[in-house]
């Protein structure tokens, strides 16, 4: 059901470089040649979805291109941004700097770096490059990379738009292209608003219904058979999440008018929220199975099921022998699901449907991994269970916890490996497994002037020097060599096949109580495998063993995200005199700090938390079994008693309920007021003040088609101050949310239709700030 043009979107379009010469409407000759080749390549099969490997390769190419741009010198980054930035010269309406004629075919992403005094090729502009980037002074590295990422997404989207044949699809791409273009100009986050609504679009979602179907249809099977059907369901949902739907123009023949209209809406939603964000991460991405429901699945199920059956058959030989039951069960699963899909009264589509409690507990126990060493997971450094509960709650008896630990240890291990498509296995577990099998090793190495250094260490240090130099191109190679071979510095090396593939160069300051991280890198081909996290965990454990409980580093804009994931923060808890004059400071970098806990083994932290979670689930299940008792209903109300105290309900205290005193809720001054006249009076005062503001003149009355002919082609939800006054008189604004939403429409419509350099755009910004001020004065604003 996936046309060739849609395949091209995810396979080929992502490498487009449209706009790299400053004019997105005129691709270079090389791009046109690539486009012809790709169009020819994508015109083959119109019925097969792209291979998973191809999809992953495409996304990897996008990320590699973005990383390449992120690593460019600042001057080239600014040149790239200038091509999508409005000229700041007074009176100039140029929306992007265009390369001079003699350099028109050169690319700033490779070796071309224009001078700041070069003039724009646009005859109506002719201003220097400096005029297009004047507003970017002081922009942070993170914000600059976000804008560059949006530009690359926009260029990929533009190339995709050129290749697609379906007009409906092309309109959606054009809308998203313009949205990203506007976001780059205004330096704001892309937010999709309009008649499509917000995800999720239907309840229950497909994923919930499919898992309910497994419970409903196969609960009578043996545990192993039930687990197989669960794996089949996972495979089906994974296929749906990566499936390319046909454009509505190709579905008209097999859909009724009403179904065709609904499918067109859902197809547009799928493009905007699921398909395009898969390769344009400037837009928020949603999984198809989590935001759509029965309506969409009904329209695509028949053909999608055929494709899935073919996919399973074609990959049958790749399956392990013990997993080929998924292949044999898939047709049976699809046929049964089709039956429930066509039934109007099927319980799986009932939002309130829940499997029996006993069944859920059985599933929970079956899904727990074997806790071979669970006895050590809930103990603290003193060998006693820590009591971190609130003082209002009692701790559990030791016997109860021991019984739960024993039950977890005796539970059967279940192979959760997903077949057919890539799996979401914990990367931490994969790396630890490689370390246990000695496929990888971790060594702390360093140079020495007082004792001989063996040949293997020297070779590893040379390899680490090469890794750091390759992954940190902005760092001088001589500086890297100086620190790696410095006797005061050490390097935690990640060794694979006797070759270093990553490492962390650091210098300990035991007298000051901290360690300085200088370089941290993993070679490109081995990234996104969890090695970086495991490296940092080993360094943390090494530091704790040496009695050092603080890590400091200067992180550039590209590394801040990584260090945040490793527990680093910009909040420095060490006093400045402790590290000032010791740690090396870098311009444009951010100092980050991580405090270590001496009782935590960081390389085992994730598995410990997982074991504790398993024990907690078992304790909940055991408690549920103890209190699962059906009591007779209350009869006191039939006898005329209007109400009873909550604590007198039989069995309530048996399940652990205790009366609690709750602090009185402080509501907003007028948000929940029972006096609608008081609320309306406040809105009237705000509206009156806004009308009399000097910047309100463009918004006093509705825009007419006679004045602006194409206004209503672009603006679907027009709003103005006169219309708001009419709505206020009719009592429409019963909450402040309705009032604020209409006012926000006025400003967003103006900014969407007008360019930032116009007077209308400036009036919208000024009036919006004034409106927010008036709302705050009345206590009606909480943003």
């Amino acid at each position: 059901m996936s046309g060739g043009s849609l395949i091209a979107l995810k396979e080929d379009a992502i490498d487009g470089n449209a706009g790299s010469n400053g004019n997105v409407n005129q691709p270079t000759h090389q791009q046109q040649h690539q486009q012809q080749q790709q169009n020819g390549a994508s015109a083959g099969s119109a019925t097969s979805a792209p291979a998973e490997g191809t999809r992953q390769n495409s996304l990897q190419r996008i990320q590699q291109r973005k990383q390449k741009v992120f690593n460019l010198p600042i001057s080239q980054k600014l040149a790239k941004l200038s091509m999508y930035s409005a000229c700041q010269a007074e009176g100039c309406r140029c929306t992007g700097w265009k390369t001079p004629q003699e350099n028109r075919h050169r690319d700033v992403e490779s070796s071309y770096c224009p001078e700041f005094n070069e003039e724009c090729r646009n005859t109506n502009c002719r201003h220097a490059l400096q005029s297009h980037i004047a507003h970017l002074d002081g922009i942070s590295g993170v914000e600059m990379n976000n804008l560059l990422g949006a530009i690359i997404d926009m260029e990929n989207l533009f190339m995709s738009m050129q290749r697609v044949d379906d007009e409906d699809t092309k309109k959606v791409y054009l809308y998203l292209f313009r949205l990203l273009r506007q976001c780059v100009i205004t330096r704001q986050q892309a937010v999709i608003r309009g008649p499509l609504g917000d995800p999720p679009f239907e309840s229950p979602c497909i994923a919930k219904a499919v898992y309910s179907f497994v419970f409903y249809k196969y609960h009578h099977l043996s545990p192993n058979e039930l687990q197989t059907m669960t794996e089949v369901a996972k495979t089906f949902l994974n296929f749906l999440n990566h499936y390319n739907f046909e454009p509505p123009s190709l579905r008209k023949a097999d859909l009724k008018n009403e179904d065709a209209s609904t499918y067109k809406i859902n197809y547009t939603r799928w493009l905007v929220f699921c398909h395009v964000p898969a390769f344009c991460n400037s837009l928020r991405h949603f999984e198809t199975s989590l935001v759509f429901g029965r309506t969409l699945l009904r329209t695509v199920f028949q053909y999608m099921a055929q494709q899935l059956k073919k996919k399973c058959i074609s990959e049958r030989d790749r399956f392990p022998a013990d997993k080929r039951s998924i292949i044999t069960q898939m047709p049976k699963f699809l046929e049964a699901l089709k039956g429930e899909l066509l039934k109007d009264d099927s319980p799986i589509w009932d939002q309130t449907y829940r499997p029996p409690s006993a069944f859920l507990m059985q599933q929970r126990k079956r899904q727990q991994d074997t806790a071979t060493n669970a006895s050590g997971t809930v103990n603290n450094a003193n060998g006693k269970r820590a009591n971190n509960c609130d003082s209002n709650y009692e701790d559990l008896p030791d016997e109860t916890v021991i019984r739960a630990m024993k039950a977890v240890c005796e539970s059967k291990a279940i192979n959760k490996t997903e077949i057919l498509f890539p799996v979401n296995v914990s990367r931490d577990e994969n790396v630890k497994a490689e370390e246990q099998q000695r496929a990888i090793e971790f060594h702390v190495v360093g140079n020495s002037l007082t004792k001989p250094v063996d040949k293997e260490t020297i070779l590893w240090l040379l390899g680490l020097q090469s890794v750091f130099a390759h992954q940190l191109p902005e760092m001088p190679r001589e500086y890297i060599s100086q620190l790696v071979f410095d006797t005061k510095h050490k390097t935690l090396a990640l060794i694979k096949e006797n070759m270093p593939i990553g490492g962390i160069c650091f210098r300990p300051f035991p007298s000051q109580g901290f360690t300085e991280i200088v370089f941290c890198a993993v070679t490109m081909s081995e990234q996104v495998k969890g090695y970086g996290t495991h490296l940092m965990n080993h360094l943390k454990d090494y530091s704790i063993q040496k009695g050092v409980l603080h890590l400091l580093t200067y992180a550039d804009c590209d590394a801040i995200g990584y260090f945040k994931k490793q527990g680093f923060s910009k909040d420095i808890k060490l006093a400045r005199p402790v590290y000032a004059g010791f740690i090396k400071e870098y311009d444009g970098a951010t100092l980050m700090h991580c405090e270590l806990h001496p009782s935590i083994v960081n390389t085992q932290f994730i598995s410990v938390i997982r074991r504790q979670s398993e024990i907690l689930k078992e304790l909940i299940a055991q408690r549920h079994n103890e209190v699962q008792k059906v009591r007779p209903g209350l009869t006191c109300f039939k006898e005329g008693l209007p109400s009873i105290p909550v604590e007198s309900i039989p069995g309530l205290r048996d399940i652990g309920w205790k009366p609690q005193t709750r602090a009185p809720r402080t509501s907003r001054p007028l948000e929940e007021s029972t006096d609608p006249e008081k609320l309306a009076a406040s809105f009237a005062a705000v509206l009156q003040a806004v009308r009399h503001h000097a910047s309100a003149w463009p918004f006093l009355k509705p825009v007419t088609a006679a004045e602006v002919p194409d206004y209503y082609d672009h603006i679907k939800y027009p709003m103005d101050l006169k219309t708001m006054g009419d709505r206020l008189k009719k009592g429409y604004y019963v909450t402040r949310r309705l009032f604020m939403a209409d006012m926000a429409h006025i400003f967003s419509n103006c900014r969407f239709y007008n360019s930032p350099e116009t007077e209308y755009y400036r009036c919208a910004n000024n009036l919006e700030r004034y409106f927010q001020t008036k709302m705050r004065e009345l206590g009606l604003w909480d943003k």
Side-chain angles (χ1 to χ4, degrees), residues 279-492:
F279 62 90
C280 292
N281 58 12
S282 300
L283 302 170
R284 186 181 176 188
H285 178 255
F286 296 88
E287 294 287 2
T288 305
S289 62
L290 297 178
V291 296
F292 290 99
R294 186 178 193 178
T295 304
L296 177 67
L297 189 59
R298 269 185 168 178
T299 56
V300 302
F301 182 82
Q302 182 175 355
Y303 199 83
M304 191 187 75
Q306 296 176 6
Q307 294 296 310
L308 181 53
K309 291 176 184 177
K310 293 178 181 178
K311 184 78 171 176
C312 291
I313 295 173
S314 66
E315 297 195 2
R316 179 183 179 87
D317 295 336
R318 294 173 53 187
F319 276 54
D322 59 334
K323 289 295 179 182
R324 289 184 180 173
S325 56
I326 293 180
I327 294 291
T328 58
Q329 294 295 338
M330 183 62 74
K332 173 184 175 182
F333 176 89
L334 293 174
E335 196 62 32
L337 181 58
K338 179 181 178 181
E340 298 302 322
L341 187 61
L342 298 177
K343 288 181 182 178
D344 293 331
D345 58 347
S346 174
I348 70 171
W349 301 103
D350 183 358
Q351 191 172 357
T352 62
Y353 175 75
R354 294 288 185 278
S357 300
F359 178 80
L360 287 177
M361 287 188 293
Q362 180 186 11
Q363 283 292 92
R364 187 183 300 113
K365 290 180 181 179
R366 290 183 59 256
Q367 292 176 354
Q368 293 172 343
D369 294 329
T370 303
T372 55
N373 56 353
S375 59
T377 61
V378 294
N379 293 341
N380 60 17
N382 299 321
K384 298 179 181 179
R385 285 189 299 110
N387 181 10
N388 295 324
C389 299
D390 189 272
S391 58
N392 293 331
Y393 299 93
E394 298 178 0
D395 202 355
L396 294 172
D398 291 341
E399 295 78 10
T400 303
V401 178
I402 294 173
R403 187 168 67 249
M405 292 163 53
K406 183 178 179 181
V408 172
C409 291
E410 294 175 352
S411 64
K412 295 182 179 180
I414 298 176
N415 186 354
K416 298 181 180 180
T417 304
E418 291 188 12
I419 308 298
L420 188 64
F421 299 115
V423 298
N424 293 323
V425 180
S426 171
R427 293 186 297 176
D428 175 76
E429 293 298 328
N430 289 337
V431 177
K432 287 169 63 177
E434 288 187 57
E435 186 179 7
Q436 291 174 359
Q437 298 166 6
R438 302 190 68 82
I440 59 174
E441 297 178 350
F442 295 86
H443 298 274
V444 176
V445 295
N447 201 4
S448 175
L449 297 177
T450 59
K451 58 182 180 180
V453 181
D454 60 271
K455 180 180 179 181
E456 186 177 59
T457 298
I458 293 296
L459 291 175
W460 284 353
L461 289 174
L462 288 170
L464 289 165
Q465 173 199 15
S466 177
V467 170
F468 292 142
H470 187 266
Q471 296 301 124
L472 306 171
E474 296 183 2
M475 195 68 65
R477 184 179 291 268
E478 296 79 6
Y479 181 69
I480 293 175
S481 302
Q482 175 187 343
L483 296 189
V484 170
F485 286 94
D486 179 53
T487 57
K488 296 179 181 179
H489 288 72
K490 297 182 181 296
T491 303
L492 174 62

Side-chain angles (χ1 to χ4, degrees), residues 471-579:
Q471 296 301 124
L472 306 171
E474 296 183 2
M475 195 68 65
R477 184 179 291 268
E478 296 79 6
Y479 181 69
I480 293 175
S481 302
Q482 175 187 343
L483 296 189
V484 170
F485 286 94
D486 179 53
T487 57
K488 296 179 181 179
H489 288 72
K490 297 182 181 296
T491 303
L492 174 62
L494 169 58
I495 308 299
K496 188 173 185 178
E497 297 178 355
N498 206 34
M499 291 289 293
I501 62 171
I504 300 178
C505 182
F506 62 95
R507 180 179 177 180
F509 292 92
S511 62
Q512 303 302 114
F514 75 92
T515 293
E516 174 194 11
I517 297 176
V518 184
F519 306 128
C520 178
V522 176
T523 188
M524 178 68 72
S525 60
E526 300 292 345
Q527 289 180 3
V528 200
K529 295 182 179 180
Y531 290 148
T533 298
H534 208 54
L535 263 171
M536 188 60 69
N537 286 337
H538 269 287
L539 178 61
K540 291 176 180 178
D541 289 346
Y542 176 84
S543 297
I544 291 173
Q545 291 172 9
K546 299 297 182 181
V548 178
L549 301 181
H550 298 276
L551 301 178
L552 289 175
T553 185
Y554 269 93
D556 59 27
C557 58
D558 297 325
I560 289 177
Y562 165 78
F563 282 104
K564 281 185 176 180
K565 292 179 181 178
Q566 309 310 319
F568 284 73
S569 169
K570 298 178 183 178
D571 180 19
I572 312 301
K573 297 182 179 179
L574 284 176
R576 179 169 176 78
V578 174
Y579 61 86

